[in-house]
Amino acid sequence: MLMALIGLGLGIIMGLFFPYNIPVVYSAYLSVAILAALDSVFGGIRASLENSFNSNIFITGFFGNAILAASLAYIGDRLGVPIYLAAVVAFGTRLFQNFAVIRRHVFKTHRETTK
Amino acid sequence: MARRYENIIIFFAALLLGITLTIQFRTAQQGVGIITSDTVPQLNNELHNTKSEIESLRQQLADLRGRVENYERAMNEQGNVNEILQDQLETVRTLAGLTEVEGPGIEIVLNDSKWELTHGNDPNLLLVHDEDILTVVSELKAAGAEAIAINGQRIMFNSEIRCGGPTININSVRYAPPYTIAAIGEPNTLFGYMSSAEGGYLDLLEYYGLEVSIQQKESITIPAYVRSINLRHIKTDKEGE
């Protein structure tokens, strides 16, 4: 999990120097994709802590969920129905669930190492 | 070993996420909100209205500039602005209704109904009332009439059209039916507006048997307003010399 945080921090710093900008029209779709990717990362951290990490699942999940979420947002925009809400609710819920599991693991190992 | 492999993958994923997150933040900071498809027509409307406002303000600005140029030119050529002020005075008098005007338009004649009064019917339904004339005048204005006269009385800002028993008082003069309402404007537009299909006010009057006739005219003369106007309560601002 530490690697994830380091990666995130490094990514943020690199992003500050990135010279290109995404066209503003797409920013709404990108937001949902970011949420999906965030949930994927959390899921990966949780799987790593539970020793059930499968790199195939993680990588396909990371990009697949992001693309799927962005596509849903785009379709919803075309249809006039806010379908992106489905992605937001779903990924948001999973995010918090994964976060809860991670927290339990962290405290469990912490208790074990300090016993 | 598997642990390290996992961690590296997660590391790169988080890296990518961080980069994308920051780019998104920077883009969002440009101040553009997320617009959903349903707000687009509303925003389009607002944009259109604002653009028209800008256009009309530009027009106003151009007019005012033109006026200033005219004043300057008159000062240069004649040493005074008398001629220009004279023209302006004439225009204002015409707008105010103090001059006789002529132009194309329509003529509406309203008369009481000649139907027999049947038992139980309200006799009021067969008469032309002041409200009828008021409504007709209002509709004419809505249709773009530039000058209106009723039985030769010029309708001004202070013209009353008031019931006086069997007669109607207009500009303090009593009139009995038939009432001839003359209006200067675009004849086709006025005619179409006043005689518009079902639901038009004149149609309603006809339904009750009142005599209504509308005629397009190529030339209508509308007399000037001849009574005197005393302004006792309006205070005119005198700008400092």
Side-chain angles (χ1 to χ4, degrees), chain A residues 42-54 102, chain B residues 6 10:
Chain A
F42 270 65
I45 297 176
R46 165 190 174 169
S48 169
L49 288 174
E50 290 178 344
N51 286 328
S52 62
F53 186 87
N54 183 338
I102 292 173
Chain B
E6 290 170 10
I10 294 185

Side-chain angles (χ1 to χ4, degrees), chain B residues 16 19 34 45 62-63 67-69 71 82 84 93 98 104 110 118 127 156 159 183 191 216 221:
Chain B
L16 187 61
I19 296 178
I34 295 185
N45 225 10
D63 285 341
R67 270 213 247 164
V68 170
E69 268 179 35
Y71 287 140
N82 283 351
I84 293 189
R93 291 186 73 224
L98 299 171
L110 297 175
T118 57
L127 302 173
M156 288 267 285
S159 297
F191 187 83
Q216 294 189 36
T221 309

Side-chain angles (χ1 to χ4, degrees), chain B residues 114-178:
Chain B
K114 291 201 172 43
W115 286 357
E116 293 264 318
L117 192 62
T118 57
H119 179 67
N121 262 359
D122 182 7
N124 271 328
L125 291 176
L126 303 177
L127 302 173
V128 176
H129 290 283
D130 50 348
E131 304 105 57
D132 302 326
I133 302 190
L134 276 170
T135 308
V136 168
V137 168
S138 178
E139 301 258 291
L140 281 170
K141 288 178 187 172
E146 294 170 13
I148 302 177
I150 305 178
N151 281 12
Q153 282 296 332
R154 182 68 173 272
I155 299 303
M156 288 267 285
F157 72 92
N158 59 353
S159 297
E160 85 285 12
I161 299 173
R162 222 156 152 261
C163 183
T167 58
I168 296 185
N169 289 351
I170 303 174
N171 288 344
S172 298
V173 180
R174 285 226 174 128
Y175 289 102

Side-chain angles (χ1 to χ4, degrees), chain A residues 3-4 7-8 10-12 15-16 18 21-22 24 27 30-31 34 37-38 44 48 53 55 58 62-63 77, chain B residues 3 5-11 13-24 26-27 30 32 34-37:
Chain A
M3 296 293 275
L8 195 66
L10 212 61
I12 290 180
L16 287 173
F18 205 68
N21 266 334
I22 312 268
V24 185
S27 74
L30 199 61
S31 302
I34 286 180
L38 198 62
S48 169
F53 186 87
S55 58
F58 177 73
F62 185 84
F63 292 104
D77 200 35
Chain B
R3 271 331 266 282
Y5 191 48
E6 290 170 10
N7 283 344
I8 291 183
I9 293 184
I10 294 185
F11 171 80
L15 191 77
L16 187 61
L17 182 62
I19 296 178
T20 320
L21 199 65
T22 318
I23 295 181
Q24 176 72 342
R26 280 188 7 213
T27 318
Q30 288 171 10
V32 182
I34 295 185
I35 301 175
T36 52
S37 289

Side-chain angles (χ1 to χ4, degrees), chain B residues 53-64:
Chain B
E53 221 181 290
I54 293 180
E55 196 44 49
S56 91
L57 284 175
R58 283 224 179 96
Q59 190 64 28
Q60 257 186 36
L61 184 62
D63 285 341
L64 288 175

